[in-house]
Amino acid sequence: MTTLSPENSLSARQSASFILGLHPFVRPEAWKFLTGYYSWQSSQDERLMVDSTRRKNYEALCQMYEKIQPLLENLHRNFIETRNNIAYDIQKLYDKDPLGNVLIDKKRLEKLLLLSYVCNTQAEYQQGFHEMVMLFQLMVEHDHETFWLFQFFLQKTEHSCVISIGVGKNLGMLNSVINVLDPVFAEHLKGKGAGAVQSLFPWFCLYFQRAFKSFDDVWRLWEVLLTGKPCRNFQVLVAYSMLQMVRKQVLQESMTGDDILLACNNLIDLDVAELVSAACTAYAELIQKDVPQPLKDFFL
């Protein structure tokens, strides 16, 4: 962080406290504040009341779902298809730790995903949601906490991982960032490397889950994104920083779009602190440039 100029790095440095992540002991409770499940100004009594209300609301949604399920099965072909997709995705999900202990209850996970699909019309089920919700299920104890944390997480991150809402915008802005910060790389990606950036949509759909070695690293990155520091839509700068990791190889070998995608898919076991720091540096460079207004608005 010391490489950032003082006048442009204040916002970036404010996110530094989250680069090391939250302690596992406080994470389940802290996430409720980060996502908006609890208000930062709430008292302990108010939080107990909020949690009780959220539990009751979740139970009411479950009861509603049970009542309308036969109707959905008979009248909505998409429901049957989505339910089958969820079941298939969960079946493939590896649910054990290195010692062979079962990590999650797949039946509970399936119920949470179906309920989210039925109740959240903005974020229809897409492949990858099962992995995201699993991480929330691992973090907290109760199903109502898992359900609401996922809903609030989607809202807080402006549905940027949802294909029909935010993913396309992220990819477009990623192209714009490359054009501004790295014109040489941008030219290659428009020419021989065409199509590579658009093929990186899984990074945003999964919120970079597969780039890290542990769930803890994924949570640490998501915690930075939830702070809104150093800017909105920080996930695009994270993606830019990951692309920079393959830049030298891409240009030296004059890679095609397919080869670039393969190189990007090989970006695994990354150091989350280094990645966040690189993305903060990219933001500090970006705000010193004369950028198009849509790009400026996207990050402010």
Side-chain angles (χ1 to χ4, degrees), residues 33-209:
F33 290 95
L34 287 173
T35 58
Y37 184 106
Y38 289 148
S39 166
W40 287 99
Q41 288 76 37
S42 60
S43 66
Q44 184 175 3
D45 288 342
E46 289 170 335
R47 291 193 290 276
L48 289 172
M49 186 177 298
V50 166
D51 190 68
S52 176
T53 300
R54 300 212 188 283
R55 182 193 297 271
K56 291 176 182 176
N57 288 343
Y58 173 76
E59 291 170 351
L61 289 174
C62 290
Q63 292 172 4
M64 176 204 70
Y65 170 71
E66 290 176 4
K67 289 180 180 179
I68 68 172
Q69 184 177 347
L71 184 65
L72 293 171
E73 291 173 343
N74 292 327
L75 298 180
H76 294 273
R77 184 183 302 175
N78 287 347
F79 175 77
I80 299 294
E81 182 181 350
T82 301
R83 186 172 64 181
N84 291 338
N85 289 339
I86 290 173
Y88 179 73
D89 289 342
I90 290 178
Q91 185 181 9
K92 295 189 301 178
L93 193 64
Y94 191 74
D95 61 345
K96 296 181 179 179
D97 66 14
L99 299 177
N101 300 313
V102 176
L103 291 171
I104 58 165
D105 184 327
K106 288 188 174 182
K107 286 294 183 183
R108 288 170 58 197
L109 178 58
E110 183 175 4
K111 178 182 176 181
L112 286 161
L113 289 165
L114 279 169
L115 192 63
S116 179
Y117 164 67
V118 171
C119 297
N120 189 342
T121 56
Q122 279 192 294
E124 294 190 354
Y125 180 77
Q126 63 188 40
Q127 193 173 37
F129 273 4
H130 65 301
E131 296 180 40
M132 294 183 72
V133 175
M134 181 190 72
L135 288 184
F136 289 100
Q137 195 176 20
L138 289 171
M139 185 191 303
V140 293
E141 182 178 358
H142 302 292
D143 285 350
H144 75 279
E145 296 172 309
T146 303
F147 177 82
W148 289 117
L149 277 179
F150 180 56
Q151 305 308 316
F152 281 115
F153 179 81
L154 293 176
Q155 291 180 23
K156 189 81 171 184
T157 56
E158 302 181 54
H159 291 84
S160 62
C161 63
V162 179
I163 292 175
S164 60
I165 301 177
V167 172
K169 186 183 296 185
N170 286 334
L171 293 169
M173 290 301 173
L174 176 57
N175 268 318
S176 297
V177 170
I178 299 169
N179 287 334
V180 171
L181 294 183
D182 196 343
V184 173
F185 197 23
E187 282 301 311
H188 181 83
L189 293 173
K190 292 174 186 174
K192 194 171 182 180
V197 172
Q198 292 303 118
S199 298
L200 296 176
F201 65 89
W203 281 359
F204 297 112
C205 292
L206 295 168
Y207 251 180
F208 311 101
Q209 285 183 74

Side-chain angles (χ1 to χ4, degrees), residues 128 134 160 205 210 231 240 244 280 293 297:
M134 181 190 72
S160 62
C205 292
R210 295 176 183 170
C231 61
Y240 171 79
Q244 288 294 299
C280 286
Q293 192 62 42
D297 293 340

